[in-house]
Amino acid sequence: LTPANGNDDRLTVWIAAVKATDLPHLHTFTRGLGLDRDAVNAALTHPFHNGGTEGVNTKTKLIKRQMYGRAGFTLLRHRILLG
């Protein structure tokens, strides 16, 4: 889904269609979307995201898990900075 103006309106129409069906799992999903609708609308309409930051965090956690119990902070720091 490419972020664009009007996606939030399309989501509202989709949620209404889901509520008209007999699919309880999708009802639960749409209730979850409604709990933080402002954030969902922002994700659907704005082209900005923090995917790069999340990727760096995931990679850092992976290296940390691999290094657990093997060496000190200095080597961990070097692996993160050079990797």
Side-chain angles (χ1 to χ4, degrees):
L1 181 65
T2 304
N5 291 333
N7 280 347
D8 50 347
D9 297 328
R10 291 173 53 200
L11 179 64
T12 302
V13 170
W14 181 79
I15 289 174
V18 166
K19 288 182 180 179
T21 63
D22 186 27
L23 299 169
H25 290 40
L26 281 180
H27 292 181
T28 304
F29 177 69
T30 57
R31 269 197 307 274
L33 289 176
L35 292 176
D36 200 5
R37 187 63 193 265
D38 292 336
V40 173
N41 287 344
L44 292 174
T45 57
H46 297 306
F48 311 108
H49 57 83
N50 62 348
T53 303
E54 292 298 327
V56 169
N57 289 343
T58 302
K59 184 175 181 182
T60 302
K61 289 179 183 181
L62 173 72
I63 293 172
K64 184 180 94 171
R65 284 188 209 105
Q66 289 174 339
M67 296 290 294
Y68 182 77
R70 295 178 186 232
F73 176 75
T74 306
L75 184 58
L76 174 64
R77 181 175 180 272
H78 283 286
R79 280 202 59 195
I80 290 172
L81 292 176
L82 297 175

